[in-house]
Amino acid sequence: MKNTETVFVCGSCGSRAPKWLGRCPSCGEFGTFEEETREEKAAEESVNAPLGGALQSLNDVVVGAEDRILSGIGELDRVLGGGLVPGSVVLVGGDPGIGKSTLMLQALAALQKKGLDTLYVSGEESAQQLKMRSMRLGAHDLPILILTETYLKEIRRAVEERRPSAVVVDSVQTMYTEGVASAPGSLTQVREVAARLVHLSKRTGISFFLVGHVTKEGAIAGPRVLEHMVDTVLYFEGDRGHAFRVLRAVKNRFGSTNEIGVFEMKDSGLSEVSNPSQLLLEERPLDVSGSVVVPCMEGTRPILLELQALAAPSSLGVPRRVTIGVDSARVSLLVAVMERKAGIQLAGHDLFINVAGGIKTDEPALDLGIVGAIASSAMDRTIPSDTVLFGEVGLSGEIRGVSQVDIRLREAEKMGFRKCFLPASSLGGGTGSKEMSLVGVRTLSEALKLLLG
Ligand code: TYD
Ligand code: MG
């Protein structure tokens, strides 16, 4: 008799059931159950890494200075929490074509240049394709080890034989391992492959980057199941039509999760952007209606974003609300508040909102900017181009305070802005700005009156 076990696993939360279910009883998602068949032998092998778990008392545990590996790519090191931790597993997710492979090859090239041995395992591209990419990046004469392989056993053999310091597996969805009946890319395979790679990493102290494609819903295939197995999860985001790329940490066992790294995709690969505000505001049209600048926080970094709104008379019964880069539900909410609390009628208008540069953000501080941009376009009045604004808008039309006011103001001042509308409650208390005039606002209608007259 064959020792196999069949269970059904939810692709969203990982819960198990003995039979197929249309809706997951634990996370409520529909159609996420997938059949999983595996042999018992394989199940034993994929246990989590042994951590040398001797019983000890917490006050006896000695913490040495973590010896992190700095790649020299500052934006990447920052997102990792100050460099790569040896023996850690980093999942790098993102849409196809966004630049994951490019980033990974550049990271390995940087490490290789520092004298560390690296290995690039590709299940998607041939050695020639990798060579061609490395030529664009100027990394073609580095002795980075290349392995085009999708069978995990071969990868493990290569890793154990050569013992590199860092390994890229591109992508985890193309890899397969024995003992799992389902096809590469299926939830079961991806999870099993990842579990074994994590095990290998912990056992050898080698750092792994696992590249993962993102599904249509915006999650890495086998999403949460994979995310909780690895140490760090990074998302590489951006709009393919724009050169701007943002690397964001969504989970990090070795650092903060709200750091971002900013890159620009050029002909010769990704280059670091140390002053994103400047790049983002470069193409800003001055003194036009519907355009505002908002100092946003991305982790510990301030970034000035240009928000654009266009309100155009609609010929549709239900006017369109199209948003790019901001949450459309949030915009609907703000539109309702504008109509009810500030008397601006938008029911007959199609609304289009865009964050310039292909950036995505969901910071509440953006609210006042969204409202300002929509009102500016709908009333066809401009907001002076030396003015920035930020603040959260509440359902009764009140403007609520936000955090890190000083950092936002400093960034705006540095970029040459001279006036800022901000929540009245955020005024005072250290918000000393020499060259900016600060206008505290309490309600939405007050803010719009002062902004647009
Ligand atoms: P790639 O790293 O292959 O994306 P992913 O692995 O996430 O699918 O990058 C794909 C895009 O990047 C491709 O459209 C070409 C572009 N690119 C550049 O613009 N400059 C470069 O130097 C390189 C290597 C790629
Ligand atoms: Mg790729």
Side-chain angles (χ1 to χ4, degrees):
M1 206 178 84
K2 237 170 111 196
N3 266 343
T4 55
E5 164 204 12
T6 300
V7 287
F8 292 84
V9 183
C10 170
S12 173
C13 68
S15 75
R16 288 153 171 269
K19 60 182 171 48
W20 191 85
L21 298 170
R23 180 171 190 227
C24 174
S26 112
C27 70
E29 291 290 319
F30 287 92
T32 52
F33 271 91
E34 234 184 68
E35 184 174 351
E36 177 174 292
T37 317
R38 56 177 181 172
E39 290 162 23
E40 275 175 12
K41 184 164 69 58
E44 270 164 37
E45 231 181 276
S46 70
V47 286
N48 271 332
L51 294 170
L55 190 61
Q56 53 186 322
S57 145
L58 183 62
N59 55 5
D60 290 339
V61 179
V62 189
V63 183
E66 271 170 17
D67 40 350
R68 299 214 178 209
I69 310 170
L70 289 174
S71 69
I73 302 178
E75 299 288 307
L76 174 64
D77 289 339
R78 190 211 346 263
V79 178
L80 287 172
L84 186 61
V85 175
S88 66
V89 180
V90 181
L91 179 66
V92 181
D95 291 334
I98 204 73
K100 299 180 296 297
S101 304
T102 308
L103 178 71
M104 290 295 98
L105 193 55
Q106 280 183 260
L108 290 195
L111 292 171
Q112 190 79 41
K113 269 189 199 140
K114 297 199 129 191
L116 299 166
D117 287 331
T118 59
L119 167 65
Y120 195 111
V121 182
S122 180
E124 298 189 343
E125 287 162 315
S126 66
Q128 283 85 345
Q129 281 171 303
L130 287 171
K131 179 81 183 181
M132 266 148 57
R133 177 178 293 124
S134 72
M135 283 159 79
R136 292 181 76 171
L137 307 176
H140 52 284
D141 47 10
L142 291 169
I144 299 171
L145 293 169
I146 301 289
L147 178 65
T148 49
E149 179 59 72
T150 53
Y151 186 28
L152 193 71
K153 207 170 190 174
E154 294 301 321
I155 298 167
R156 185 157 51 193
R157 183 173 11 233
V159 168
E160 279 175 351
E161 191 185 303
R162 304 300 290 258
R163 293 275 169 163
S165 300
V167 180
V168 167
V169 178
D170 185 4
S171 65
V172 66
Q173 277 112 341
T174 55
M175 304 297 157
Y176 71 96
T177 182
E178 70 282 344
V180 182
S182 17
S186 68
L187 171 69
T188 324
Q189 273 290 0
V190 168
R191 195 180 50 181
E192 196 61 34
V193 165
R196 292 182 189 206
L197 287 172
V198 169
H199 191 224
L200 181 62
S201 165
K202 301 296 169 202
R203 189 158 54 78
T204 55
I206 296 170
S207 302
F208 277 77
F209 289 99
L210 309 184
V211 174
H213 293 301
V214 162
T215 59
K216 278 197 280 317
E217 294 78 37
I220 295 171
R224 289 171 214 158
V225 198
L226 249 189
E227 288 185 358
H228 78 231
M229 285 160 61
V230 300
D231 298 307
T232 303
V233 179
L234 308 180
Y235 273 93
F236 205 34
E237 314 171 335
D239 190 73
R240 255 197 287 173
H242 290 93
F244 229 56
R245 299 284 182 274
V246 174
L247 185 66
R248 191 186 298 276
V250 296
K251 164 182 173 175
N252 196 349
R253 283 186 186 151
F254 306 111
S256 138
T257 47
N258 43 27
E259 284 303 344
I260 62 160
V262 184
F263 297 90
E264 193 183 353
M265 182 63 98
K266 295 191 174 158
D267 272 348
S268 55
L270 293 157
S271 78
E272 295 177 63
V273 175
S274 47
N275 190 347
S277 299
Q278 185 173 356
L279 193 77
L280 280 172
L281 296 181
E282 240 161 36
E283 295 179 323
R284 180 168 70 112
L286 299 179
D287 294 318
V288 295
S289 65
S291 160
V292 301
V293 175
V294 182
C296 281
M297 294 303 298
E298 286 286 2
T300 56
R301 281 170 117 192
I303 294 191
L304 297 181
L305 293 181
E306 186 203 343
L307 258 179
Q308 298 183 321
L310 182 68
S314 177
S315 53
L316 302 171
V318 181
R320 307 221 291 164
R321 304 280 185 248
V322 179
T323 66
I324 302 171
V326 289
D327 181 24
S328 67
R330 190 83 203 157
V331 170
S332 302
L333 183 152
L334 293 171
V335 166
V337 176
M338 287 171 80
E339 293 197 323
R340 286 296 307 274
K341 302 293 172 182
I344 297 178
Q345 291 313 314
L346 295 162
H349 284 81
D350 286 332
L351 285 183
F352 304 91
I353 321 270
N354 181 31
V355 182
I359 301 277
K360 285 197 198 82
T361 175
D362 53 4
E363 233 217 330
L366 210 67
D367 288 358
L368 192 55
I370 296 175
V371 167
I374 294 175
S376 160
S377 177
M379 298 158 76
D380 201 19
R381 299 214 188 110
T382 59
I383 292 175
S385 54
D386 66 346
T387 301
V388 293
L389 63 167
F390 63 87
E392 185 179 348
V393 176
L395 283 185
S396 10
E398 80 278 18
I399 309 291
R400 294 164 167 261
V402 297
S403 61
Q404 284 151 310
V405 173
D406 271 334
I407 304 178
R408 296 175 203 262
L409 289 175
R410 236 177 290 138
E411 177 78 359
E413 195 173 342
K414 199 172 83 193
M415 297 304 296
F417 289 88
R418 290 293 164 258
K419 194 167 186 180
C420 181
F421 288 83
L422 71 169
S425 59
S426 301
L427 274 178
T431 44
S433 176
K434 278 161 252 92
E435 306 196 18
M436 288 243 271
S437 72
L438 305 180
V439 186
V441 288
R442 284 198 170 74
T443 66
L444 186 60
S445 50
E446 182 192 353
L448 292 179
K449 206 172 289 158
L450 288 171
L451 266 172
L452 299 163

